[in-house]
Amino acid sequence: MQEVYDFLKKCETYYLATVEEDQPRVRPFGTVDIFEGKLYIQTGKVKEVSKQIQKNPKVELCAFDGGKWLRVSGKLVRDERVEAKAHMLENYPSLQAMYSATDDNTEVLYFEEATAVFSSFTEAPVTIRF
């Protein structure tokens, strides 16, 4: 999982795909964190992406850097604990102007039943499950 985290941090931006009814939705994200041995992302509960995840928690993200790419698929699970939210926000101080660990909007989610695949055009894929 650390390798997945390191790659996403290096990329800075990854793209998260969700489903809205029968329509795929993809948007850029930049938050990633490891807390208590789980890979987390962050968003706001008022956003459509949050509503889509709550309706169908199966997601996939994709990131690309230097000829290699990463896809992570799995289910996202909401963690309402203040400690999880605070940990994420400590690692992203710029978000603290918009989010708080104790507000009703901040949402952190961790991957469950995740499969990460590192790929390139010149090397065999490497799969990590967590």
Side-chain angles (χ1 to χ4, degrees):
M1 182 188 323
Q2 186 67 46
E3 186 178 357
V4 171
Y5 170 81
D6 292 343
F7 190 86
L8 292 171
K9 286 295 280 187
K10 182 179 177 189
C11 289
E12 296 183 1
T13 301
Y14 58 89
Y15 296 87
L16 182 74
T18 59
V19 177
E20 183 177 55
E21 296 179 24
D22 67 345
Q23 178 65 47
R25 301 288 182 195
V26 180
R27 80 274 295 147
F29 264 68
T31 54
V32 64
D33 193 17
I34 292 180
F35 180 69
E36 295 183 347
K38 296 176 182 172
L39 187 72
Y40 280 77
I41 67 168
Q42 183 275 332
T43 191
K45 290 179 183 176
V46 298
K47 294 183 178 182
E48 290 302 311
V49 66
S50 173
K51 296 170 189 168
Q52 293 158 6
I53 292 167
Q54 294 312 306
K55 203 169 202 182
N56 181 352
K58 292 181 181 179
V59 301
E60 186 164 283
L61 66 77
C62 186
F64 183 83
D65 182 63
K68 292 186 178 186
W69 60 92
L70 167 67
R71 290 184 314 146
V72 180
S73 59
K75 295 178 183 175
L76 285 176
V77 178
R78 182 184 280 170
D79 189 338
E80 293 285 3
R81 294 177 300 155
V82 170
E83 298 85 0
K85 296 175 187 181
H87 194 271
M88 176 68 79
L89 294 174
E90 287 168 12
N91 289 304
Y92 290 92
S94 62
L95 293 178
Q96 294 176 16
M98 296 184 302
Y99 296 102
S100 162
T102 58
D103 68 22
D104 290 331
N105 183 39
T106 301
E107 178 175 50
V108 293
L109 308 114
Y110 62 86
F111 273 93
E112 181 177 78
E113 301 173 19
T115 300
V117 180
F118 287 94
S119 301
S120 78
F121 291 116
T122 59
E123 299 173 19
V126 175
T127 301
I128 300 168
R129 289 183 172 78
F130 55 92

